[in-house]
Amino acid sequence: MSEMANTDPEGIDAVRMTWNVWPRTKVEASACVIPLAVSIAPIRSHPDIPTLPYAPLRCKSCSSALNAFARVDFTAKIWICPFCYQRNHFPPHYAMISETNLPCELYPQYTTVQYSLQANPDPNNPSNVPQLPPVFVFVLDTCMIEEELGFVKSAMKQALGLLPEHALVGFVSFGTQAHVHELGFSDISKVYVFRGNKEISKEQVLEQLGLGSAGRRPTAGYPKGLQNGHSNTGVNRFLLPASDCEYTLNSLLDELQTDQWPVQPGNRASRCTGVALSVATGLLGACMPGTGARIIALVGGPCTEGPGTIVSKDLSEPVRSHKDLDKDAAPYFKKAVRFYDSLAKQLVSQGHVLDLFASALDQVGVAEMKVAVERTGGLVVLAESFGHSVFKGSFRRMFKDGEQSLGLCFNGLLEINCSKDIKIQGVIGPCTSLEKKGPNVSDTVIGEGSTSAWKMCGLDKSTCLTVLFDISSTERSNAPGTANSQLYLQFLTSYQDPEGKRMLRVTTLTRQWVDSAVSTEELVHGFDQEAAAVVMARVTSLKMEMEDVFDATRWLDRNLIRVCSKFGEYRKDDASSFTLNPCFSLFPQFMFNLRRSQFVQVFNNSPDETAYFRMLLNRENITNAAVMIQPSLISYSFNSLPQPALLDVASISADRILLLDAYFSIVIFHGMTIAQWRNMGYQSQPEHQAFSQLLQAPHVDAQMIIQERFPVPRLVVCDQHGSQARFLLAKLNPSATYNNSIDMTAGSDIIFTDDVSLQIFFEHLQKLAVQS
């Protein structure tokens, strides 16, 4: 069991919790310092999850689904809901149920089950269920140099070839103005032009495209235009099956030029990103409301025209920095965020996703667009150029099928049920609150809160959400008897899968209540330090964004001291007596690296990069997010197999190669001697085959990581003392710096920094934790 837990800590339920046993009361919970949180990947695939061809039975009182923890009376044909204790009768088609003949959802090992729900089957022909096609509208920026446009065109052509044949495709290009291309009119290219300098309402979009009320399609079933050839529907004009419009689109892309509008010297190009996205959203709202659709924005620079503008056209005015945002000196920021906030609301009400691929050397406005991407569950990739492997690899991966597929799903809805006394504070991650009030909703809001249901317009196999809970009971009303010593949580996620089928995933969890006032031992053994570190990182990032004056480092330090004071073992005021249980021993190190990470230290990054890092931190699983906070380091040398190395400057040695996985980038770092031998060409001499293999090994491992990961990380290959060695040095613990490196061995390294090292950090922590 423990071996399995190491390889897949999330198991069949795709769940990690900060605490695996829960304190009984509000006071005890707040004394635990680390919030009660569950990280769940709602549709992660697992070979043991059964798919059932029917809808689940629901409790008539709290509408939770029948599950393995329900008590069943087989003679009376009744089941008792573990959440509200309501007695429910089984319907007639469960008449054969007995202890030896159980439906799948009652098997104790199936705590997660998937139901396949039929979508309005035709009563005369039940096998003919209309499968909804996925919809992709590409929105392409043309304000870029010829070479960049060439890169992005060839990436788009590749993507068109990878799309399923029945997928519907639309195309909008923009520069100074936004152009909607009528793909159904293949004789000559026909374009609808929208002015880029003023806001445009959904009604105006429909009017101009000729999609007034006559051209709308019914919401259910297959698009009408595809059934009976209505030429006035937007589906037959602007959205066409990939197989029908691939040739038209390819020739259109061949002819597409960079934006021809003249740009004055000393000015930025005039780019109307906001209008283009409004138009694409309006088009989808008219043709495809309520079915899975994605807007894929390919943006090569900042918006300087119309709604969503982030900077003026004057090049002497730089794009806003973190300092400008702190001092309220970013004149366009709040207005642009308000615009994207309203766009997010429109997209969510339609059930559509905004994906953002931003490639430019300067910022493009990811910080402003974050709200629309995150609330709709969109994907985001930030690269330096459309020719860079980060963009090319990630964009191709989005449309890949089979093993490499991201498993993009649409139109998700997450609902949570929980035992009495448990309240939901909110969710951090790619979703939107549906403001569904209920007895399980807490007054305290963290992230998307005030609800027990969330909309996830886009979700995929790896999408992960963090749910934060609160305990409402003030006294231990329930003596730990048999019935009440367990708490229950249920997550119901319905969604449209890549084939267009409606699915419902139900995960039901149980954990034990403990009386932590009597003993903290059970609590300690149920602590997941990796999950706790990631949850603290997510809460910190959220507070940094939402609160005007928030000192993240001090907040993290205070909480870490409280954790060590409560769960450490020590004699009062004696720092040398301090020890931490192994269940907590890695936590201070995670906090040390979190304090130094790009999530807390933002001075070296642009607001766009910070927004990008935070979006990925909030949507990845715990294992991946932990690597973002605390990178992994592997050492390769002649005399041993590849092995994990300490994330410390002491790991650098002249005769080693190091492989650093910092999630967004992967660094292969050659020690001095290795680099010299490589420069002399030893690897190509037959007698030095072992050296050739040593050089190859980290590249093979790096490629395996790159293949698995989305977005594709940046690969940096560098040598000790080279300029790019900074990518490694910035992540290492500075145990040897310019002012304390007394015992330097040959080939080792120092870091020029005034940051404290992990050892000094830990000494200070011990002193403060034992203070009475």
Side-chain angles (χ1 to χ4, degrees), residues 264-298:
Q264 300 300 321
N267 273 12
R268 290 185 175 88
S270 155
R271 186 184 276 106
C272 67
T273 318
V275 164
L277 293 175
S278 285
V279 170
T281 304
L283 170 66
L284 279 177
C287 305
M288 286 288 175
T291 78
R294 306 186 85 95
I295 295 172
I296 300 171
L298 298 142

mmCIF file of all heavy atoms in Angstrom, residues 264-298:
data_model
loop_
_atom_site.group_PDB
_atom_site.id
_atom_site.type_symbol
_atom_site.label_atom_id
_atom_site.label_comp_id
_atom_site.label_asym_id
_atom_site.label_seq_id
_atom_site.Cartn_x
_atom_site.Cartn_y
_atom_site.Cartn_z
ATOM 1 N N GLN A 264 3.319 54.895 -36.926
ATOM 2 C CA GLN A 264 4.241 56.033 -36.869
ATOM 3 C C GLN A 264 5.532 55.628 -36.154
ATOM 4 O O GLN A 264 5.500 54.814 -35.235
ATOM 5 C CB GLN A 264 3.600 57.188 -36.073
ATOM 6 C CG GLN A 264 2.288 57.710 -36.647
ATOM 7 C CD GLN A 264 2.455 58.242 -38.068
ATOM 8 O OE1 GLN A 264 3.464 58.875 -38.381
ATOM 9 N NE2 GLN A 264 1.482 57.955 -38.939
ATOM 10 N N PRO A 265 6.692 56.222 -36.554
ATOM 11 C CA PRO A 265 7.939 55.918 -35.837
ATOM 12 C C PRO A 265 7.794 56.297 -34.358
ATOM 13 O O PRO A 265 7.164 57.306 -34.024
ATOM 14 C CB PRO A 265 8.984 56.824 -36.518
ATOM 15 C CG PRO A 265 8.369 57.222 -37.826
ATOM 16 C CD PRO A 265 6.891 57.148 -37.671
ATOM 17 N N GLY A 266 8.357 55.457 -33.480
ATOM 18 C CA GLY A 266 8.254 55.729 -32.036
ATOM 19 C C GLY A 266 6.921 55.314 -31.437
ATOM 20 O O GLY A 266 6.634 55.595 -30.283
ATOM 21 N N ASN A 267 6.085 54.625 -32.251
ATOM 22 C CA ASN A 267 4.776 54.177 -31.758
ATOM 23 C C ASN A 267 4.660 52.653 -31.772
ATOM 24 O O ASN A 267 5.328 51.978 -32.546
ATOM 25 C CB ASN A 267 3.650 54.744 -32.627
ATOM 26 C CG ASN A 267 3.225 56.114 -32.144
ATOM 27 O OD1 ASN A 267 3.908 56.714 -31.315
ATOM 28 N ND2 ASN A 267 2.113 56.613 -32.647
ATOM 29 N N ARG A 268 3.765 52.148 -30.936
ATOM 30 C CA ARG A 268 3.417 50.720 -30.990
ATOM 31 C C ARG A 268 2.365 50.519 -32.075
ATOM 32 O O ARG A 268 1.628 51.449 -32.411
ATOM 33 C CB ARG A 268 2.808 50.263 -29.663
ATOM 34 C CG ARG A 268 3.785 50.212 -28.512
ATOM 35 C CD ARG A 268 3.131 49.637 -27.256
ATOM 36 N NE ARG A 268 4.140 49.493 -26.215
ATOM 37 C CZ ARG A 268 4.456 50.453 -25.351
ATOM 38 N NH1 ARG A 268 3.834 51.614 -25.402
ATOM 39 N NH2 ARG A 268 5.399 50.238 -24.443
ATOM 40 N N ALA A 269 2.290 49.284 -32.564
ATOM 41 C CA ALA A 269 1.225 48.961 -33.525
ATOM 42 C C ALA A 269 -0.119 49.129 -32.826
ATOM 43 O O ALA A 269 -0.235 48.983 -31.614
ATOM 44 C CB ALA A 269 1.393 47.532 -34.004
ATOM 45 N N SER A 270 -1.134 49.403 -33.630
ATOM 46 C CA SER A 270 -2.474 49.567 -33.072
ATOM 47 C C SER A 270 -3.156 48.190 -33.084
ATOM 48 O O SER A 270 -3.409 47.632 -34.140
ATOM 49 C CB SER A 270 -3.184 50.585 -33.949
ATOM 50 O OG SER A 270 -4.539 50.409 -33.884
ATOM 51 N N ARG A 271 -3.422 47.667 -31.877
ATOM 52 C CA ARG A 271 -3.875 46.270 -31.765
ATOM 53 C C ARG A 271 -5.152 46.209 -30.931
ATOM 54 O O ARG A 271 -5.171 46.618 -29.780
ATOM 55 C CB ARG A 271 -2.759 45.461 -31.090
ATOM 56 C CG ARG A 271 -2.990 43.985 -31.011
ATOM 57 C CD ARG A 271 -1.889 43.270 -30.235
ATOM 58 N NE ARG A 271 -0.714 42.957 -31.031
ATOM 59 C CZ ARG A 271 0.443 43.590 -30.947
ATOM 60 N NH1 ARG A 271 0.592 44.586 -30.101
ATOM 61 N NH2 ARG A 271 1.467 43.231 -31.700
ATOM 62 N N CYS A 272 -6.250 45.676 -31.501
ATOM 63 C CA CYS A 272 -7.553 45.709 -30.801
ATOM 64 C C CYS A 272 -7.943 44.333 -30.256
ATOM 65 O O CYS A 272 -8.989 43.794 -30.603
ATOM 66 C CB CYS A 272 -8.636 46.261 -31.729
ATOM 67 S SG CYS A 272 -8.997 45.181 -33.125
ATOM 68 N N THR A 273 -7.108 43.790 -29.386
ATOM 69 C CA THR A 273 -7.346 42.446 -28.830
ATOM 70 C C THR A 273 -8.737 42.337 -28.203
ATOM 71 O O THR A 273 -9.448 41.346 -28.400
ATOM 72 C CB THR A 273 -6.280 42.140 -27.759
ATOM 73 O OG1 THR A 273 -5.015 42.591 -28.229
ATOM 74 C CG2 THR A 273 -6.222 40.663 -27.439
ATOM 75 N N GLY A 274 -9.135 43.360 -27.430
ATOM 76 C CA GLY A 274 -10.412 43.320 -26.715
ATOM 77 C C GLY A 274 -11.601 43.192 -27.650
ATOM 78 O O GLY A 274 -12.496 42.364 -27.432
ATOM 79 N N VAL A 275 -11.614 44.009 -28.712
ATOM 80 C CA VAL A 275 -12.732 43.961 -29.659
ATOM 81 C C VAL A 275 -12.778 42.583 -30.346
ATOM 82 O O VAL A 275 -13.844 41.976 -30.488
ATOM 83 C CB VAL A 275 -12.615 45.099 -30.703
ATOM 84 C CG1 VAL A 275 -13.530 44.839 -31.903
ATOM 85 C CG2 VAL A 275 -12.958 46.424 -30.054
ATOM 86 N N ALA A 276 -11.614 42.073 -30.745
ATOM 87 C CA ALA A 276 -11.572 40.774 -31.431
ATOM 88 C C ALA A 276 -12.158 39.673 -30.549
ATOM 89 O O ALA A 276 -12.930 38.820 -31.015
ATOM 90 C CB ALA A 276 -10.132 40.435 -31.820
ATOM 91 N N LEU A 277 -11.807 39.688 -29.254
ATOM 92 C CA LEU A 277 -12.327 38.650 -28.352
ATOM 93 C C LEU A 277 -13.818 38.850 -28.088
ATOM 94 O O LEU A 277 -14.570 37.871 -27.977
ATOM 95 C CB LEU A 277 -11.538 38.649 -27.040
ATOM 96 C CG LEU A 277 -10.067 38.215 -27.176
ATOM 97 C CD1 LEU A 277 -9.335 38.349 -25.852
ATOM 98 C CD2 LEU A 277 -9.960 36.764 -27.678
ATOM 99 N N SER A 278 -14.270 40.110 -28.019
ATOM 100 C CA SER A 278 -15.712 40.383 -27.864
ATOM 101 C C SER A 278 -16.497 39.836 -29.051
ATOM 102 O O SER A 278 -17.565 39.241 -28.886
ATOM 103 C CB SER A 278 -15.969 41.896 -27.823
ATOM 104 O OG SER A 278 -15.592 42.419 -26.602
ATOM 105 N N VAL A 279 -15.945 40.061 -30.248
ATOM 106 C CA VAL A 279 -16.636 39.617 -31.464
ATOM 107 C C VAL A 279 -16.711 38.087 -31.507
ATOM 108 O O VAL A 279 -17.759 37.505 -31.795
ATOM 109 C CB VAL A 279 -15.915 40.178 -32.722
ATOM 110 C CG1 VAL A 279 -16.457 39.531 -33.983
ATOM 111 C CG2 VAL A 279 -16.081 41.696 -32.799
ATOM 112 N N ALA A 280 -15.586 37.427 -31.180
ATOM 113 C CA ALA A 280 -15.571 35.959 -31.184
ATOM 114 C C ALA A 280 -16.561 35.417 -30.152
ATOM 115 O O ALA A 280 -17.282 34.438 -30.402
ATOM 116 C CB ALA A 280 -14.160 35.453 -30.876
ATOM 117 N N THR A 281 -16.630 36.083 -28.983
ATOM 118 C CA THR A 281 -17.556 35.645 -27.927
ATOM 119 C C THR A 281 -19.002 35.820 -28.383
ATOM 120 O O THR A 281 -19.838 34.928 -28.189
ATOM 121 C CB THR A 281 -17.307 36.463 -26.637
ATOM 122 O OG1 THR A 281 -15.937 36.322 -26.262
ATOM 123 C CG2 THR A 281 -18.177 35.981 -25.491
ATOM 124 N N GLY A 282 -19.297 36.962 -29.015
ATOM 125 C CA GLY A 282 -20.655 37.210 -29.523
ATOM 126 C C GLY A 282 -21.054 36.202 -30.587
ATOM 127 O O GLY A 282 -22.178 35.690 -30.594
ATOM 128 N N LEU A 283 -20.111 35.898 -31.477
ATOM 129 C CA LEU A 283 -20.369 34.929 -32.557
ATOM 130 C C LEU A 283 -20.724 33.564 -31.965
ATOM 131 O O LEU A 283 -21.703 32.920 -32.357
ATOM 132 C CB LEU A 283 -19.113 34.815 -33.442
ATOM 133 C CG LEU A 283 -19.099 33.693 -34.480
ATOM 134 C CD1 LEU A 283 -20.159 33.937 -35.543
ATOM 135 C CD2 LEU A 283 -17.726 33.579 -35.147
ATOM 136 N N LEU A 284 -19.939 33.103 -30.988
ATOM 137 C CA LEU A 284 -20.212 31.803 -30.361
ATOM 138 C C LEU A 284 -21.516 31.833 -29.572
ATOM 139 O O LEU A 284 -22.253 30.848 -29.540
ATOM 140 C CB LEU A 284 -19.066 31.411 -29.422
ATOM 141 C CG LEU A 284 -17.840 30.796 -30.087
ATOM 142 C CD1 LEU A 284 -16.769 30.517 -29.053
ATOM 143 C CD2 LEU A 284 -18.205 29.503 -30.814
ATOM 144 N N GLY A 285 -21.802 32.981 -28.935
ATOM 145 C CA GLY A 285 -23.034 33.083 -28.155
ATOM 146 C C GLY A 285 -24.262 32.943 -29.037
ATOM 147 O O GLY A 285 -25.280 32.396 -28.627
ATOM 148 N N ALA A 286 -24.151 33.432 -30.285
ATOM 149 C CA ALA A 286 -25.290 33.346 -31.203
ATOM 150 C C ALA A 286 -25.425 31.940 -31.783
ATOM 151 O O ALA A 286 -26.526 31.427 -31.935
ATOM 152 C CB ALA A 286 -25.095 34.343 -32.337
ATOM 153 N N CYS A 287 -24.288 31.318 -32.112
ATOM 154 C CA CYS A 287 -24.359 30.039 -32.831
ATOM 155 C C CYS A 287 -24.380 28.829 -31.903
ATOM 156 O O CYS A 287 -24.956 27.803 -32.221
ATOM 157 C CB CYS A 287 -23.159 29.884 -33.759
ATOM 158 S SG CYS A 287 -22.962 31.221 -34.908
ATOM 159 N N MET A 288 -23.690 28.931 -30.757
ATOM 160 C CA MET A 288 -23.433 27.740 -29.961
ATOM 161 C C MET A 288 -23.655 27.917 -28.462
ATOM 162 O O MET A 288 -22.809 27.506 -27.679
ATOM 163 C CB MET A 288 -21.945 27.353 -30.149
ATOM 164 C CG MET A 288 -21.651 26.752 -31.483
ATOM 165 S SD MET A 288 -22.383 25.131 -31.447
ATOM 166 C CE MET A 288 -22.115 24.557 -33.061
ATOM 167 N N PRO A 289 -24.737 28.563 -28.026
ATOM 168 C CA PRO A 289 -24.860 28.769 -26.580
ATOM 169 C C PRO A 289 -25.015 27.424 -25.861
ATOM 170 O O PRO A 289 -25.731 26.554 -26.343
ATOM 171 C CB PRO A 289 -26.127 29.616 -26.446
ATOM 172 C CG PRO A 289 -26.916 29.325 -27.672
ATOM 173 C CD PRO A 289 -25.928 29.030 -28.757
ATOM 174 N N GLY A 290 -24.304 27.247 -24.761
ATOM 175 C CA GLY A 290 -24.501 26.047 -23.945
ATOM 176 C C GLY A 290 -23.838 24.784 -24.442
ATOM 177 O O GLY A 290 -24.043 23.729 -23.872
ATOM 178 N N THR A 291 -23.067 24.845 -25.544
ATOM 179 C CA THR A 291 -22.328 23.638 -25.935
ATOM 180 C C THR A 291 -20.840 23.964 -25.895
ATOM 181 O O THR A 291 -20.451 25.127 -25.947
ATOM 182 C CB THR A 291 -22.689 23.160 -27.356
ATOM 183 O OG1 THR A 291 -22.004 24.003 -28.277
ATOM 184 C CG2 THR A 291 -24.156 23.221 -27.623
ATOM 185 N N GLY A 292 -20.015 22.930 -25.816
ATOM 186 C CA GLY A 292 -18.578 23.128 -25.623
ATOM 187 C C GLY A 292 -17.916 23.868 -26.769
ATOM 188 O O GLY A 292 -17.975 23.444 -27.927
ATOM 189 N N ALA A 293 -17.298 25.003 -26.453
ATOM 190 C CA ALA A 293 -16.576 25.753 -27.487
ATOM 191 C C ALA A 293 -15.402 26.478 -26.858
ATOM 192 O O ALA A 293 -15.461 26.897 -25.701
ATOM 193 C CB ALA A 293 -17.516 26.760 -28.156
ATOM 194 N N ARG A 294 -14.323 26.615 -27.629
ATOM 195 C CA ARG A 294 -13.129 27.307 -27.144
ATOM 196 C C ARG A 294 -12.759 28.436 -28.094
ATOM 197 O O ARG A 294 -12.784 28.256 -29.317
ATOM 198 C CB ARG A 294 -11.935 26.343 -27.082
ATOM 199 C CG ARG A 294 -12.165 25.077 -26.289
ATOM 200 C CD ARG A 294 -10.880 24.256 -26.154
ATOM 201 N NE ARG A 294 -10.095 24.710 -25.030
ATOM 202 C CZ ARG A 294 -10.157 24.155 -23.820
ATOM 203 N NH1 ARG A 294 -10.947 23.134 -23.593
ATOM 204 N NH2 ARG A 294 -9.414 24.630 -22.832
ATOM 205 N N ILE A 295 -12.374 29.575 -27.507
ATOM 206 C CA ILE A 295 -11.775 30.654 -28.294
ATOM 207 C C ILE A 295 -10.277 30.554 -28.055
ATOM 208 O O ILE A 295 -9.821 30.622 -26.903
ATOM 209 C CB ILE A 295 -12.287 32.034 -27.823
ATOM 210 C CG1 ILE A 295 -13.790 32.155 -28.104
ATOM 211 C CG2 ILE A 295 -11.514 33.166 -28.498
ATOM 212 C CD1 ILE A 295 -14.421 33.398 -27.497
ATOM 213 N N ILE A 296 -9.509 30.362 -29.115
ATOM 214 C CA ILE A 296 -8.066 30.214 -28.965
ATOM 215 C C ILE A 296 -7.402 31.500 -29.451
ATOM 216 O O ILE A 296 -7.347 31.765 -30.652
ATOM 217 C CB ILE A 296 -7.569 28.983 -29.753
ATOM 218 C CG1 ILE A 296 -8.267 27.736 -29.209
ATOM 219 C CG2 ILE A 296 -6.055 28.849 -29.653
ATOM 220 C CD1 ILE A 296 -8.043 26.492 -30.029
ATOM 221 N N ALA A 297 -6.943 32.317 -28.502
ATOM 222 C CA ALA A 297 -6.362 33.618 -28.847
ATOM 223 C C ALA A 297 -4.851 33.469 -29.006
ATOM 224 O O ALA A 297 -4.174 32.962 -28.116
ATOM 225 C CB ALA A 297 -6.690 34.626 -27.755
ATOM 226 N N LEU A 298 -4.332 33.912 -30.160
ATOM 227 C CA LEU A 298 -2.889 33.881 -30.424
ATOM 228 C C LEU A 298 -2.431 35.334 -30.499
ATOM 229 O O LEU A 298 -2.719 36.036 -31.471
ATOM 230 C CB LEU A 298 -2.617 33.154 -31.745
ATOM 231 C CG LEU A 298 -3.077 31.686 -31.721
ATOM 232 C CD1 LEU A 298 -3.671 31.271 -33.047
ATOM 233 C CD2 LEU A 298 -1.931 30.781 -31.339
#
